Amino acid sequence: MLLHACCGPCAVYPLQWLREAGCQVTGFFYNPNIHPWREYARRARTMERYAVLAGLPLDKDTGYELEQYLAAVLTDPAVPGRCHTCYRLRLARAARAAREGGFTAFSTTLLASPFQHHQLVQKAGEEADRESGVAFLYRDFRVGWAEGMQGAKAAGLYRQSYCGCIFSEWERFGAGRDDRERS
Ligand code: SF4
């Protein structure tokens, strides 16, 4: 199966769970929501490093489609509409890549984070499933959040402090609405 990975730390628990369930997993990094570019590059490098550590084949979509991402989310820039669009963009691409790569299913590490809109991630995955014909594997990976973060710390992975887009960076550091550490 193809596992869309939003970042290295969030991939730790889902990968462990999927492997224990007998899945043969390939990672897929496609996240044009991450802003600015150097932050994107840092998270991509972290994912690559984790993939090496975990022996995970990684398919990295190098298209940093910032304009496409911004055009999509600016149609409804408020939360949670913006996040649903963001999930849809990323999971539709993952589902397409899964179909083209001959995978039988896809999933996402976004299901592991208690900071995401979990039901909207699930909805976006199910929409991408219907559009692509590739099965979306849903699982509430949040149950393994603490365990996954322990693994990420032990591996020395970079853990980001905001979700990814420029809006979320402003909400985290500018508007002062959310002082929780995010990953
Ligand atoms: S806050 Fe996170 S999920 Fe929502 S639009 Fe921004 S990057 Fe995407």
Side-chain angles (χ1 to χ4, degrees), residues 33 69 82-83 86-87 90 116 163-165 168:
N33 54 306
Y69 167 77
R82 177 182 90 218
C83 298
C86 178
Y87 302 144
R90 291 188 276 167
Q116 300 298 331
C163 188
C165 65
S168 64

Side-chain angles (χ1 to χ4, degrees), residues 1 3 11-23 25 50 107 137-141 143-144 147:
M1 68 168 301
L3 178 64
V12 174
Y13 179 77
L15 178 60
Q16 177 189 311
W17 188 91
L18 289 164
R19 282 176 165 171
E20 284 172 5
C23 297
V25 184
Y50 177 63
S107 191
L137 187 151
Y138 170 75
R139 173 89 191 168
D140 190 347
F141 291 125
V143 294
E147 193 184 330

